[in-house]
Amino acid sequence: MKPYTSLKSILAEFFPLHRTLVSDDHDKTLEIVGSYMPESSSYTIETYAPLKQVWTWKVPERYVVHEAYLEIEGGERIVDFKDNPLHIVSYSLPVDTVLSFEELQPHLYFNEKLPHTVPWVFKYYERSWGFCLPKNTFDKLPRDKKYRAVINCEFITDPAQGFKVATAVVHPEGGPNPEAGEFLVQAHTCHPMQANDDGAGVVSTIELARRLAEKPLPRGSMSVRFWFGPETIGTIAWLAHNESLIPNLRGGIFMEMTGNQNKIAWHHTRQHDHLLDRITKFVLRETVHDERDFAAAPANDERVINGPGVNVPCISINRFPYDEYHTTDDNLDIMHDDMLVGAAQTAEDIIRIYASNYTPKRTFRGPVFLSGYGLWVDWRENWALNRAIEKIMMRFEGQHTVFEIAEQVGLDYWTVRDYVEKFRAKGFVNPLPIPFEGDVE
């Protein structure tokens, strides 16, 4: 596990790479991520054969670009892939042709609002070809000249060079509790030369993993699984290859766009008022933030985790919107370490409550003889907890989680959990885990 001076310094290592669905630079990115993950997390890279059916999708091929450029007749080069991978539309088809400006124009892309920038454009599934350039450059192109467009690329289907995703798991104190299941945290790694979308979410997730490894969740809590890979198809391919993991998932967070100077935004689960929503709202109650519906822009892999046939409650955390989105202005200059760390802190606070929460079910009858078992709370030391003891005990019927009990009696979650744990240690309550609520077909 490599040390780091800042999250931005990690991001700087993989930011310039040609990270796309399947590419050599995407492989390098997953290796860089793994070098910073906790050693105890068993970081593992999985490889899937290209073109294999995964639910209703197919695993994409490896995309290798040998060279790509656009030049005016006479040899003046306008854009060149070697200068910036954003200069070609991701997954462009091979081409080597001479065209008039009118023939070329449908294959050129630019950003009207930020005319000095190169936009990021992708056509993974509607195969075509194209070049991206600043609007300022486009405006100066001669309309009466011929243009040569060259994209020398390959789509490789060799299973040995397949599609890759990575996972790691951080366990609570004392090791995994199979009954409690797992909480999933995701960040995607497939946006070339984009710092905030998506590199920021990756490094915030690394920070989160290291925090949970250095200070494990309480004994008996959920394990936390971390996932890194290409957007949408990555999660689909991973779940299709690991369907047995789905019943273990109890909730999730998708992390992205966490480094720009903007307030935190969170998106509800598909269920909207799930326990995970209420805990998130509680954690952010004193923080200036935006609250949005499930899958509101920007929608990402929560649509898979919390979507049809899986439906595991999942929220999203980001700092969207920002002006530089999907352009060359989405670079390291707009990254702020306090924002990256702050997003990790928010996710950590949510997970520490949600993953340690459980439903206490009493084993006793009648009021417990508190002082006889060391459970009485002196009102002179903690008046609020002393006044709430009866209300807490009366909620040990297996119908309320510890968090819900804390909500109902108006006390801090950790205060109530610590007190309930004393009943558990005496054998007066059994912990019922948060149930799996997703779909298994």
Side-chain angles (χ1 to χ4, degrees):
M1 183 173 68
K2 290 165 61 176
Y4 55 86
T5 55
S6 67
L7 294 181
K8 190 172 176 178
S9 69
I10 303 176
L11 177 51
E13 289 189 41
F14 62 83
F15 164 71
L17 298 179
H18 180 220
R19 298 175 281 121
T20 188
L21 297 183
V22 197
S23 65
D24 294 348
D25 277 358
H26 183 262
D27 294 354
K28 291 177 186 176
T29 300
L30 292 183
E31 291 170 3
I32 292 169
V33 171
S35 70
Y36 288 101
M37 289 291 284
E39 292 175 6
S40 61
S41 68
S42 301
Y43 184 84
T44 303
I45 296 175
E46 299 181 22
T47 304
Y48 309 134
L51 302 182
K52 180 179 179 181
Q53 192 76 30
V54 282
W55 296 348
T56 64
W57 297 57
K58 287 187 178 180
V59 175
E61 314 96 308
R62 178 172 294 264
Y63 188 53
V64 178
V65 180
H66 299 292
E67 64 173 348
Y69 58 87
L70 178 66
E71 62 184 21
I72 306 175
E73 61 179 315
E76 180 186 348
R77 196 158 290 192
I78 302 164
V79 297
D80 197 325
F81 175 82
K82 68 182 181 183
D83 296 331
N84 189 320
L86 297 191
H87 276 314
I88 67 168
V89 172
S90 290
Y91 271 67
S92 281
L93 294 170
V95 66
D96 188 343
T97 188
V98 175
L99 310 97
S100 67
F101 182 81
E102 290 72 21
E103 293 169 323
L104 174 65
Q105 187 171 355
H107 297 279
L108 299 182
Y109 299 85
F110 48 79
N111 187 301
E112 292 275 6
K113 293 182 179 179
L114 298 173
H116 63 284
T117 67
V118 179
W120 176 50
V121 179
F122 52 91
K123 292 185 181 291
Y124 301 137
Y125 308 112
E126 44 178 293
R127 295 287 167 81
S128 180
W129 64 269
F131 290 92
C132 302
L133 70 170
K135 176 67 161 52
N136 292 342
T137 301
F138 173 84
D139 289 342
K140 296 175 183 177
L141 293 178
R143 271 49 176 174
D144 58 348
K145 300 286 187 179
K146 293 287 189 180
Y147 292 81
R148 186 182 179 202
V150 175
I151 300 177
N152 179 7
C153 62
E154 292 181 80
F155 296 85
I156 297 176
T157 58
D158 177 8
Q161 300 184 61
F163 180 84
K164 298 181 187 295
V165 303
T167 60
V169 183
V170 174
H171 296 300
E173 289 181 2
N177 176 9
E179 290 188 356
E182 295 181 346
F183 191 91
L184 180 67
V185 181
Q186 293 190 281
H188 56 59
T189 48
C190 59
H191 292 13
M193 291 287 283
Q194 300 292 281
N196 202 36
D197 179 24
D198 52 13
V202 173
V203 296
S204 290
T205 300
I206 290 172
E207 171 73 9
L208 173 61
R210 291 174 72 127
R211 288 171 173 231
L212 294 176
E214 291 168 4
K215 184 183 176 183
L217 290 166
R219 187 179 300 271
S221 299
M222 300 173 193
S223 295
V224 181
R225 182 176 293 271
F226 297 89
W227 182 98
F228 304 93
E231 182 178 358
T232 307
I233 181 58
T235 302
I236 290 169
W238 175 66
L239 288 176
H241 283 84
N242 295 278
E243 290 190 359
S244 62
L245 290 178
I246 295 175
N248 296 325
L249 300 177
R250 300 293 187 268
I253 295 177
F254 184 81
M255 301 275 284
E256 69 167 350
M257 307 182 197
T258 55
N260 58 308
Q261 196 80 48
N262 200 359
K263 58 189 171 185
I264 282 282
W266 73 278
H267 297 225
H268 277 263
T269 67
R270 183 181 175 189
Q271 293 78 2
H272 195 79
D273 59 352
H274 188 269
L275 178 64
L276 181 55
D277 297 289
R278 303 203 308 274
I279 288 174
T280 302
K281 186 171 289 192
F282 171 78
V283 166
L284 290 170
R285 67 196 183 281
E286 296 178 357
T287 302
V288 176
H289 67 277
D290 279 340
E291 181 177 340
R292 299 172 184 156
D293 289 336
F294 175 74
N300 280 289
D301 291 55
E302 68 275 11
R303 297 169 301 129
V304 182
I305 294 298
N306 209 162
V310 184
N311 210 26
V312 171
C314 185
I315 64 168
S316 173
I317 290 177
N318 57 71
R319 297 188 188 278
F320 187 82
Y322 62 106
D323 293 338
E324 301 85 356
Y325 178 68
H326 280 197
T327 72
T328 43
D329 274 0
D330 187 344
N331 55 44
L332 296 173
D333 292 342
I334 68 169
M335 293 295 94
H336 301 271
D337 248 83
D338 58 334
M339 299 289 103
L340 295 166
V341 171
Q345 179 69 63
T346 296
E348 180 186 7
D349 292 344
I350 294 166
I351 291 170
R352 286 200 178 276
I353 294 177
Y354 187 83
S356 67
N357 192 28
Y358 61 87
T359 300
K361 179 73 172 70
R362 63 171 176 78
T363 62
F364 58 87
R365 293 180 185 272
V368 173
F369 178 27
L370 298 174
S371 58
Y373 289 93
L375 296 170
W376 185 69
V377 176
D378 192 326
W379 58 269
R380 288 160 295 195
E381 297 177 3
N382 193 331
W383 170 265
L385 183 56
N386 173 278
R387 293 292 83 195
I389 289 175
E390 294 289 339
K391 295 176 183 177
I392 292 172
M393 278 196 295
M394 290 180 181
R395 288 169 170 79
F396 288 167
E397 297 297 323
Q399 298 174 339
H400 307 285
T401 69
V402 175
F403 177 78
E404 290 166 332
I405 293 171
E407 276 188 313
Q408 291 164 14
V409 301
L411 294 178
D412 175 72
Y413 169 78
W414 293 107
T415 298
V416 174
R417 190 185 190 280
D418 288 346
Y419 188 58
V420 175
E421 281 289 285
K422 294 178 180 179
F423 280 78
R424 180 179 174 183
K426 299 292 183 181
F428 290 142
V429 298
N430 289 324
L432 306 180
I434 305 300
F436 171 71
E437 298 179 7
D439 297 330
V440 178
E441 299 179 347

